[in-house]
Amino acid sequence: MIPVIGYKGAKVAVLGLGRSGLATAKALRAGGAEPLLWDDSAEARAAAEAEGLSLTDLTRNAAFEGVAALITSPGIPHLYPHAHPVIARALELGVPVDNDIGLFFQSWARPEWDNFETPPRAVAVTGSNGKSTTTALIHHILQAAGKPSQMAGNIGKGVLSIDPPEDGEVVVLELSSYQTELARALTPDVAVFTNLSPDHLDRHNGPGGYFAAKRRLFAEGGPDRAVIGVDEIEGRFLAGQMAQGPSDDRVIRISSGQKLEGFGWSVFARKGFLAEWRKGKQVASIDLRSIKGLPGAHNHQNACAAYAATRALGLAPKLIEEALHSFAGLPHRSQLVGEKAGVRFINDSKATNVDSAAKALQAFPKIRWIAGGMGKEGGIAALAPHLGSVVKAYLIGHSAPDFALQLGQTPYEICETMERATARAAEDAQVGEVVLLAPAAASFDQYPNFEKRGEDFTARVAALLA
């Protein structure tokens, strides 16, 4: 646990008692503060009381008397589309509003660091797609290289639940726009921006607000090194803002598909090969094509980001290359879950929108595609340019009939259930083909979340291959 500093003897309100909220309450108490806890859910309140935490109804008019700050969980709106009433009341009274990320950066440096040979460092990863894989890959590379490392944030533990870092340790954080937008302190040593595509637009009042939330990690965080994906205009804009000029190697530009040779430091992947360039010269190259845990151009971008971040931390290219080969991938993200008779089965249940599904469809040449669920606005019409690799689609869930109408000349079968879709795709698949679950839809019509959907697919595959 990271005890929160700066609030000893003070009352601090905590809104939202999920994983991050409970961890925040305990870290505040460990730092000598008096946490005042509330959640709109009676179930969450009961869970907090079961852990020995006391509650305070923050919806009462007098609830903020003597309160030094309000700490809110990331999922609770504080501005758009409208502020939660408790947060709105805090803002009216001038009570500072923060989140656990802000408390972490405010509190994680400790006096004992003065005796460390190498002070601990923090790497923070944000972006629209690839955050989790990039974060896990950085953590994996560090561990494979024998470097102490912890992983937290949107993946792994809550940030305040980690152990106090030891000498030379690196803490790798995955941060969403919800977290970067509100944190009052943001001071990573290395910050990573993977890419940007439309997401959470209601929460940020449009794409400009969404990008602004991501940008705060860099503009206000002031990292020593900034690793920035420049395949979209927003990334190029951000790199231009952070760098003094193209030769400024404090900014490491990354790309999947573009050559980036005219900069002080760049890492890019083209035709399956990662290349590192510094000051006009290529200094390293890695063949990514045989790395099973990182298939497709989108994962090659993740590899570039992780490579650049760990190079910024001082790791040698050979060490990084060895670690890339031992990375198994994350569950539900281009995860290889089975292989038999020349047919691979890939679980990409996390592909809940057309953008992430498009990346999955571009990763393999011949695909038996399992798609469907609770479709989003526009369905899968935007995937038309990426259907050339699809041998046949097997459609499930609520949106199966709608998706069928948007497939054009692509053969399809409406299967309704995961059990039938997996069985039919496996029965039809030929040597060299991939059975790919990339739903391009939410899971809520048949499953509580994308993880349960992916677990069902994995279980069906295991049964078929047994």
Side-chain angles (χ1 to χ4, degrees):
M1 180 190 300
I2 305 293
V4 173
I5 64 172
Y7 292 109
K8 188 174 183 178
K11 295 180 179 179
V12 180
V14 178
L15 178 64
L17 300 177
R19 184 190 67 166
S20 66
L22 291 175
T24 297
K26 294 171 184 177
L28 282 164
R29 192 166 60 180
E34 179 186 350
L36 310 178
L37 313 183
W38 188 250
D39 194 295
D40 292 338
S41 163
E43 184 180 353
R45 296 197 299 268
E49 287 184 310
E51 295 202 32
L53 299 166
S54 58
L55 302 172
T56 299
D57 188 350
L58 297 178
T59 65
R60 295 184 296 108
N61 287 336
F64 281 97
E65 289 182 7
V67 169
L70 170 65
I71 312 303
T72 180
S73 293
I76 301 174
H78 57 268
L79 186 57
Y80 302 114
H82 50 77
H84 186 282
V86 170
I87 299 176
R89 180 61 176 159
L91 295 174
E92 288 171 3
L93 296 172
V95 175
V97 180
D98 203 350
N99 61 18
D100 62 332
I101 304 302
L103 295 183
F104 170 82
F105 280 112
Q106 173 183 314
S107 307
W108 85 302
R110 313 300 296 180
E112 55 265 28
W113 288 18
D114 293 339
N115 300 317
F116 286 176
E117 182 176 333
T118 304
R121 287 174 288 181
V123 177
V125 181
T126 195
S128 296
N129 297 305
K131 295 188 300 296
S132 296
T133 298
T134 298
T135 301
L137 185 52
I138 293 170
H139 177 60
H140 172 78
I141 293 168
L142 289 166
Q143 289 195 315
K147 305 292 184 183
S149 174
Q150 295 183 75
M151 182 171 63
N154 258 13
I155 187 173
K157 297 181 178 180
V159 292
L160 294 172
S161 296
I162 69 170
D163 297 326
E166 61 183 73
D167 193 336
E169 188 162 11
V170 179
V171 174
V172 190
L173 305 176
E174 178 193 341
L175 301 182
S176 71
S177 58
Y178 293 1
Q179 294 168 310
T180 57
E181 183 179 43
L182 190 60
R184 293 171 66 89
L186 283 169
T187 54
D189 298 278
V190 178
V192 180
F193 176 86
T194 58
N195 50 56
L196 199 81
S197 60
D199 208 358
H200 310 305
L201 300 189
D202 59 336
R203 174 68 180 263
H204 299 294
N205 202 33
Y210 178 52
F211 174 55
K214 302 286 190 185
R215 179 182 173 276
R216 285 192 76 243
L217 181 63
F218 299 82
E220 298 187 33
D224 295 332
R225 297 280 186 187
V227 176
I228 300 176
V230 295
D231 288 335
E232 296 86 27
I233 184 63
E234 292 87 355
R236 293 190 287 274
F237 175 81
L238 179 58
Q241 283 205 313
M242 296 298 294
Q244 293 297 319
S247 63
D248 186 350
D249 65 2
R250 294 173 302 174
V251 173
I252 308 175
R253 291 168 172 83
I254 64 166
S255 172
S256 175
Q258 298 182 63
K259 261 191 171 182
L260 303 173
E261 299 177 356
F263 301 98
W265 200 347
S266 63
V267 179
F268 57 89
R270 293 182 77 244
K271 298 180 180 179
F273 287 86
L274 179 152
E276 178 188 4
W277 283 67
R278 297 191 73 169
K279 298 179 180 179
K281 295 181 180 179
Q282 183 172 330
V283 297
S285 176
I286 298 174
D287 185 350
L288 301 174
R289 295 172 299 175
S290 61
I291 301 177
K292 289 187 176 181
L294 295 166
H298 62 302
N299 274 311
H300 292 176
Q301 184 187 54
N302 298 334
C304 288
Y307 177 95
T310 48
R311 286 288 284 140
L313 293 169
L315 270 63
K318 279 294 181 186
L319 280 176
I320 300 172
E321 181 175 5
E322 290 172 7
L324 292 178
H325 279 277
S326 61
F327 182 65
L330 285 180
H332 318 300
R333 297 164 175 87
S334 296
Q335 177 194 14
L336 177 64
V337 296
E339 187 170 359
K340 187 175 183 180
V343 177
R344 286 181 289 163
F345 295 80
I346 305 293
N347 168 21
D348 204 342
S349 184
K350 183 64 168 63
T352 58
N353 56 45
V354 295
D355 185 68
S356 51
K359 291 179 170 61
L361 292 175
Q362 293 172 72
F364 308 100
K366 294 180 180 180
I367 298 170
R368 301 280 173 175
W369 180 33
I370 300 175
M374 187 63 70
K376 299 183 178 180
E377 185 177 353
I380 57 170
L383 289 176
H386 309 294
L387 297 178
S389 60
V390 177
V391 179
K392 184 177 177 180
Y394 303 80
L395 304 176
I396 63 173
H398 177 269
S399 296
D402 296 331
F403 280 17
L405 295 175
Q406 296 178 309
L407 283 171
Q409 299 302 309
T410 302
Y412 70 87
E413 181 177 335
I414 294 181
C415 298
E416 297 185 350
T417 67
M418 184 69 73
E419 180 179 16
R420 177 165 174 76
T422 307
R424 291 289 300 120
E427 183 181 326
D428 292 345
Q430 304 294 311
V431 174
E433 294 181 346
V434 166
V435 175
L436 170 69
L437 170 65
S443 61
F444 305 126
D445 57 332
Q446 295 177 312
Y447 303 93
N449 50 51
F450 74 83
E451 290 96 342
K452 291 298 182 185
R453 177 171 60 192
E455 289 167 8
D456 188 19
F457 172 72
T458 301
R460 304 293 178 190
V461 170
L464 288 169
L465 301 186

